[in-house]
Amino acid sequence: MENGAAPTAPAVIVAIDGPSGTGKSSTSKAVAAQLGLSYLDTGAQYRAITWWMVTNGIDTDDAQAVAAAADKPEILSGTAPENPTITVDGVDVAAPIRTQEVTSKVSAVSAVPEVRARITELQRAIAASAVTGIVVEGRDIGTTVLPDADLKIFLTASAEARAARRSGELKDADVKATREALIKRDAADSTRKTSPLAKADDAVEVDTTDLTLQQVIECVVSLVEEKRAAR
Ligand SMILES: Nc1ncnc2c1ncn2[C@@H]1O[C@H](COP(=O)(O)OP(=O)(O)O)[C@@H](O)[C@H]1O
Ligand SMILES: Nc1ccn([C@H]2C[C@H](O)[C@@H](COP(=O)(O)OP(=O)(O)O)O2)c(=O)n1
């Protein structure tokens, strides 16, 4: 090493994909915090662009109108795992991107190729600038956004477990209705033409149905540490 500087570990890139309610966000944030890595919630970016379309009166079922507006909003993600942030044109949208309206429209907006191209470019730039590394969670991170990630995880869980977890987060939620909405969104996300929700061939699949969140976090931390030790 020149100037006697301590050797620094190369940045580690972790991709975590899977359907809704499998534990991607909670696991990714905790793993990133524990290992001193950045954290990116790519679902929040798709929700943010969907929020912008809704707020600006764009018909989200009109793919051409969505495509034509795809490069208009400026979407910024703060990647500290203890305090992830998201703004659109300078407005904090952390709360409004979680409404039922945005949730019901996000699959249609995120299926539009121009939207995916725009958001994928943002995601790659954020990953490239993460000094110690990053945990990126979504649907197509291991397959499309970061195919050279050091570690790819694909989380799964039964529809029952996922619906129970999601409805536990929402006041007055009906588990049956939540389960139906979640299955419908997963089907739309898995069958779209452009980079659908899919497990990469080299991803490690973890079924979280009968695991506690803590167990899932420990499992992923061990897998990252194994990868780091092997380099
Ligand atoms: N293994 C688990 N066991 C029980 N609850 C979990 C588990 N993993 C996550 N949760 C809870 O389920 C809900 C959805 O988790 P989240 O991380 O948002 O999933 P995703 O990002 O995959 O949609 C959260 O309330 C979270 O605390
Ligand atoms: N990499 C990604 C991440 C999310 N999306 C789309 C598809 C998802 O239904 C929405 C919302 O994702 P988000 O992770 O916030 O969804 P959850 O409600 O946490 O399951 O965004 C995507 O197309 N590609």
Side-chain angles (χ1 to χ4, degrees), residues 49-62 65-66 69 101 105:
I49 199 165
T50 302
W51 173 85
W52 186 90
M53 297 285 165
V54 171
T55 305
N56 286 275
I58 311 276
D59 175 2
T60 53
D61 289 324
D62 179 347
V66 169
E101 185 181 21
K105 292 180 169 165

Side-chain angles (χ1 to χ4, degrees), residues 7 19 21 28 38 53 55 63 68 84 87-88 92 94-95 110 125 130 148 155 166 193-194 201 207 220 223-224 228:
S28 301
S38 298
M53 297 285 165
T55 305
T87 63
V88 178
D92 176 358
S110 57
D148 298 327
L155 297 183
R166 274 271 168 264
K193 283 207 185 94
T194 313
D201 291 339
D207 182 346
V220 176
L223 289 168
V224 177
R228 273 179 160 170

Side-chain angles (χ1 to χ4, degrees), residues 20 42-43 46-47 110 116 139-140 166 185 189 192:
S20 183
T42 65
Y46 285 103
R47 286 173 175 276
S110 57
R116 298 209 74 79
R139 302 293 191 284
D140 62 337
R166 274 271 168 264
R185 185 149 61 91
D189 295 340
R192 67 173 175 236

